[in-house]
Amino acid sequence: MEFKLWPLDITYGVVGGVAEVRIFAIGEGGERVTVTDRSFKPYFYVECADCVGKLPREVEKVEVVERKFFGQPRQFLKVSTRLPEHVKTLRETFASMPGVVGVYEADIRYYMRYLIDAGVLPCSWNLAEVREVGKLGSTLVYEVEKWLGVVGGFPPQLRVLAFDIEVYNERGTPDPARDPVVMAAVKTSNGGEEVFEAVGTDDKSVLRNFANFVREYDPDVIVGYNNNGFDWPYLTERAKAVGVSLKVDRLGGQPQSGVYGHWSVIGRANVDLYNIVEEFSEIKVKTLDRVAEYFGVMKRGERVLIPGHKIYEYWRERREVLRQYVLDDVKSTYGLGERLLPFLIELSSVSGLPLDQVAAASVGNRVEWMLLRYAHRFGEVAPNRVEREYEPYKGAIVLTPKPGLYSDVLVLDFTSMYPNIMIRYNLSPDTYVQGDGWLGEIHIAPEVGHKFRASPPGFFPTVLKTLIELRKAVREEMKRYPVTSPQYRILDERQKALKIMANAIYGYTGWVGARWYKREVAESVTAFGRAIMRDVVERARELDISVIYGDTDSLFVKSGGDVERLMRYVEEKYGIEVKIDKDYKKLLFTEAKKRYAGLLKDGRVDIVGFEVVRGDWCELAKEIQLKVLEIILHSRDVQEAKRNVITYVKREIEKLRSYNFEVDNLIIWKTLDKELGEYKSRPPHLHAALILKQRGYRVGRGVTIGYVIVKGGEKVSNRAMPYIFVNAREIDVDYYINHQIIPAAVRIGQVVGVRESDFKTGEKSLLDFI
DNA sequence: GCGGCGCTACTACCT
DNA sequence: ACAGGTAGTAGCGCCGCG
């Protein structure tokens, strides 16, 4: 029978010496099913010239096949093996055989190989010819006979479960061997909400009740916040320590740790929302409460907040508050899931990576898995991952702004410039021409001189064209639905997923870790980009349009001139659509690139690059900088603005001097980019991190440290203290005045003539006394 | 021994 | 582990200084 299914998770097992692929999926009627296939043999490719050698017995079959390699037709041996694990061992065996030139695609995981070859897309509707073979627990099992392709449609109703745990520990980072899980909270998409609690310090019931709940609710998707980094490893360790089994997957097993810190719960998609939140650079401090507020899920002011190091106190003395806290956390997590899952589902479908992996996978890997699918479709054998040396190359042009206040400025944006360049000039690893051998039509990149065949269309340009066309079709389809409909929302997430994947391809070509790494391609893309930018600036000059600033693919121009003509010029000459991205009434530049701020025609204040938008300046300094900016943007004349700025900032400085502030507003947040031992110098946040470590906290790469500068004679670094250990009276207010408030205020204020000395008149320097 | 200077380390930002 | 370009702070070593 024909069956339409939406794959959620995939795994395999070996039964009777045969690999069996198992796809956990949802049918059209909402039924949960398992689809199996025992017919697919693992394989890899071998390229050889007169290969000799005895075939190992793990080899099932060898065929000579026609494939392409970087666009060139070639013959390969397709070596199929009996079991997935044989691929790894045979890879070595074949590589060392006399006559073997290369072994390819031997590092592709079996179940991914299956999805790619069968053309099965996770988180999409796939049509298959199946037959029913029985039941596994309560779900039907089908055996697939033939895959009939991907069909369109919207995702089914998913059962989602969010969870969160709280651990009792008196200092530092909790230790599963010692510290009990005193609370576990769950929230489900059918409205269920529960908190499981320990009895005293006995947490066996928490673990059991949690596992029972998961099994009974039987979720398709499990979401957590840092569950890969904390909850799952902690729960499984703790379960082992107290002798409880944590059987939560769909085959009666425990969660398993996979590669790169990802945890899998077979049959379900375990998604760590923190993974995806990490990609939102506009969120500076990524604690659950702040992230939930950012996404409009729950306001921080309307929920219970307990710092991690005080949880044990609340468990001992104010348990009902802790209960509310864990509930607020799980509600936030659930809400985040509602907000983020639709995008992840589409990203899974576009990249071809199963849902539970797509959030954890890096951008480069998502692109690579997508490319592997297209390569298979085009009959291309994928190049191997090889270790390469990093070679820098020139990037985009950034114009130098003239400092000052401008009025009526338009920002022109060249849409999808890099993808368009790649398509137009056919830039791809397989179209790259080395030397002068090629006699057909070629494109030559400016400055760098790399050559590319003009036809036929290369691998990357073809993929890009496909993605752009798909996106266009999705955007067309969106018009058929009301903006507020769920369908519209899903299609919008789909077009976003297609867009970000297309935009990531240029970066991928310049990434040394990429299979299809080709520096010459990346280098040519930026070279064409620079040439276009220079040409458009020149054209603007000819048209008497004044150019104020530009960065990569945007141009800031004075409105009033024939801007439309300039836009048409770019569209006609380069085939790149130009859109007016922003329309400023007033715009402010200092002498710095990548930093500007302005008042948009719609009344919004827009700030780019300045301290206000940076996470590593304290709230107070940012708040003051914003005010200074607003004073300037809203005043009619420069002198008045200058006076008002000075009066305002002086007042703020006085407040600080008289200890009229909140410590929270003075916290400086910085992320550790390395492990503590790898630092060559001792910056402030490292100092603060070392203090945290000394007091039992686990800190290292990726952790964001919040510190304040306290009094003392030594250098700044030695006075950086984790804010949780500091009282207001210990704060070094002079540091904040001279190194946070004044620099932030002067940076913007300088445009109307405000100088550092305007704020230091009250203070007599030693020189004055002499 | 110390202040000033310039370079390096480091982070976060922009497109 | 998608890219390069950029601003800015603090650390740190070096230099000169009778």
Side-chain angles (χ1 to χ4, degrees), chain A residues 659 661 663 666 695 708-712 719-736:
Chain A
Y659 285 85
F661 58 76
V663 174
L666 300 183
R695 304 208 187 174
V708 292
I709 304 300
V710 296
K711 284 184 258 196
R719 296 187 279 119
M721 285 288 282
Y723 75 96
I724 50 170
F725 303 137
V726 176
N727 301 115
R729 280 282 148 189
E730 302 171 73
I731 296 285
D732 178 3
V733 292
D734 282 329
Y735 172 82
Y736 282 93

Side-chain angles (χ1 to χ4, degrees), chain A residues 51 197 222 301 318 394 502 507 557 606 679 713 726 738:
Chain A
C51 292
E197 283 180 34
I222 299 178
R318 304 179 65 188
K394 238 168 115 181
V557 298
D606 181 51
Y679 280 87
V726 176
N738 295 316

Side-chain angles (χ1 to χ4, degrees), chain A residues 412 543 545 561-569 571 580:
Chain A
L412 307 184
L543 292 172
I545 296 169
D562 199 349
V563 174
E564 268 171 37
R565 191 154 163 210
L566 184 68
M567 293 166 72
R568 265 203 316 278
Y569 174 78
E571 284 165 8
I580 294 177

Side-chain angles (χ1 to χ4, degrees), chain A residues 662-711:
Chain A
E662 298 281 334
V663 174
D664 276 6
N665 288 329
L666 300 183
I667 303 169
I668 297 163
W669 299 91
K670 270 201 165 78
T671 307
L672 294 165
D673 270 4
K674 294 190 253 290
E675 296 301 335
L676 302 192
E678 296 168 12
Y679 280 87
K680 290 182 191 162
S681 64
R682 212 169 192 282
H685 67 301
L686 173 61
H687 182 264
L690 288 166
I691 292 170
L692 284 170
K693 190 189 170 196
Q694 195 192 322
R695 304 208 187 174
Y697 289 82
R698 200 170 306 141
V699 284
R701 189 204 302 270
V703 177
T704 304
I705 307 290
Y707 65 88
V708 292
I709 304 300
V710 296
K711 284 184 258 196

Side-chain angles (χ1 to χ4, degrees), chain A residues 136-410:
Chain A
L136 188 89
S138 60
T139 64
L140 278 173
V141 180
Y142 294 106
E143 196 167 274
V144 72
E145 281 167 348
K146 196 171 178 224
W147 289 101
L148 303 168
V150 175
V151 291
F154 297 102
Q157 201 68 51
L158 296 168
R159 289 202 291 265
V160 179
L161 176 143
F163 80 109
D164 184 45
I165 63 170
E166 301 303 332
V167 174
Y168 183 97
N169 76 303
E170 297 181 12
R171 354 193 306 276
T173 302
D175 170 9
R178 181 191 67 201
D179 306 319
V181 177
V182 287
M183 283 187 188
V186 290
K187 179 172 164 66
T188 57
S189 40
N190 67 345
E193 219 175 73
E194 240 169 289
V195 180
F196 307 112
E197 283 180 34
V199 182
T201 54
D202 181 0
D203 58 349
K204 288 199 216 46
S205 63
V206 177
L207 304 176
R208 274 198 210 103
N209 289 335
F210 170 69
N212 284 340
F213 188 95
V214 175
R215 277 199 303 276
E216 266 165 42
Y217 181 63
D218 190 25
D220 303 306
V221 181
I222 299 178
V223 296
Y225 196 74
N226 199 24
N227 42 332
N228 283 338
F230 179 69
D231 303 60
W232 287 125
Y234 200 93
L235 281 173
T236 51
E237 274 293 301
R238 185 65 190 162
K240 213 198 299 171
V242 297
V244 170
S245 78
L246 207 67
K247 291 175 183 158
V248 292
D249 79 18
R250 273 181 166 154
L251 291 178
Q254 309 209 34
Q256 297 166 13
S257 79
V259 278
Y260 314 122
H262 165 257
W263 283 72
S264 88
V265 177
I266 293 171
R268 320 187 193 281
N270 169 56
V271 174
D272 185 346
L273 298 168
Y274 179 66
N275 285 154
I276 194 79
V277 165
E278 275 185 296
E279 292 173 33
F280 286 79
S281 56
E282 59 270 40
I283 311 171
K284 310 301 173 200
V285 182
K286 296 180 173 66
T287 51
L288 175 58
D289 53 298
R290 285 169 196 268
V291 172
E293 179 165 81
Y294 175 85
F295 285 112
V297 170
M298 188 182 281
K299 289 193 179 132
R300 294 180 78 223
E302 292 169 10
R303 56 157 299 169
V304 173
L305 288 169
I306 300 177
H309 61 282
K310 286 193 174 153
I311 283 168
Y312 75 97
E313 285 179 18
Y314 282 79
W315 170 254
R316 280 207 308 235
E317 287 146 33
R318 304 179 65 188
R319 198 167 295 182
E320 68 296 341
V321 182
L322 184 62
R323 206 171 287 136
Q324 190 54 49
Y325 171 70
V326 73
L327 263 176
D328 286 345
D329 266 3
V330 84
K331 281 183 197 167
S332 298
T333 306
Y334 185 85
L336 273 187
E338 278 187 313
R339 176 68 182 70
L340 299 171
L341 279 172
F343 177 68
L344 286 172
I345 285 168
E346 299 309 324
L347 200 56
S348 163
S349 169
V350 172
S351 67
L353 272 166
L355 181 58
D356 66 332
Q357 289 176 38
V358 78
S362 68
V363 174
N365 277 302
R366 286 177 201 153
V367 170
E368 190 142 289
W369 283 111
M370 177 183 72
L371 291 173
L372 282 162
R373 280 192 181 251
Y374 281 103
H376 180 265
R377 198 194 285 178
F378 301 153
E380 278 276 345
V381 168
N384 286 321
R385 283 212 152 130
V386 287
E387 236 176 273
R388 278 180 253 256
E389 207 162 315
Y390 167 73
E391 283 177 278
Y393 63 90
K394 238 168 115 181
I397 286 183
V398 187
L399 306 181
T400 309
K402 253 204 266 131
L405 268 170
Y406 298 82
S407 55
D408 302 311
V409 177
L410 293 173

Side-chain angles (χ1 to χ4, degrees), chain A residues 592-748:
Chain A
K593 296 173 175 182
K594 300 195 184 273
R595 295 187 150 206
Y596 52 89
L599 186 61
L600 294 162
K601 288 264 161 75
D602 62 18
R604 282 181 299 141
V605 172
D606 181 51
I607 302 159
V608 179
F610 285 117
E611 283 75 2
V612 188
V613 296
R614 293 182 64 97
D616 56 353
W617 284 72
C618 73
E619 258 332 294
L620 182 64
K622 297 199 286 182
E623 202 184 295
I624 292 172
Q625 189 180 57
L626 178 60
K627 267 280 184 47
V628 169
L629 175 68
E630 284 171 344
I631 291 171
I632 293 171
L633 291 177
H634 291 120
S635 334
R636 293 201 143 262
D637 90 273
V638 169
Q639 284 314 312
E640 175 198 305
K642 182 180 175 181
R643 277 198 308 278
N644 290 343
V645 166
I646 293 173
T647 319
Y648 165 69
V649 176
K650 273 187 165 168
R651 202 166 56 229
E652 289 298 322
I653 289 174
E654 271 325 302
K655 275 201 222 161
L656 205 54
R657 276 225 174 88
S658 53
Y659 285 85
N660 180 10
F661 58 76
E662 298 281 334
V663 174
D664 276 6
N665 288 329
L666 300 183
I667 303 169
I668 297 163
W669 299 91
K670 270 201 165 78
T671 307
L672 294 165
D673 270 4
K674 294 190 253 290
E675 296 301 335
L676 302 192
E678 296 168 12
Y679 280 87
K680 290 182 191 162
S681 64
R682 212 169 192 282
H685 67 301
L686 173 61
H687 182 264
L690 288 166
I691 292 170
L692 284 170
K693 190 189 170 196
Q694 195 192 322
R695 304 208 187 174
Y697 289 82
R698 200 170 306 141
V699 284
R701 189 204 302 270
V703 177
T704 304
I705 307 290
Y707 65 88
V708 292
I709 304 300
V710 296
K711 284 184 258 196
E714 295 175 89
K715 57 185 163 200
V716 174
S717 185
N718 293 331
R719 296 187 279 119
M721 285 288 282
Y723 75 96
I724 50 170
F725 303 137
V726 176
N727 301 115
R729 280 282 148 189
E730 302 171 73
I731 296 285
D732 178 3
V733 292
D734 282 329
Y735 172 82
Y736 282 93
I737 292 166
N738 295 316
H739 295 261
Q740 292 273 318
I741 309 306
I742 292 179
V746 170
R747 190 102 55 224
I748 302 275

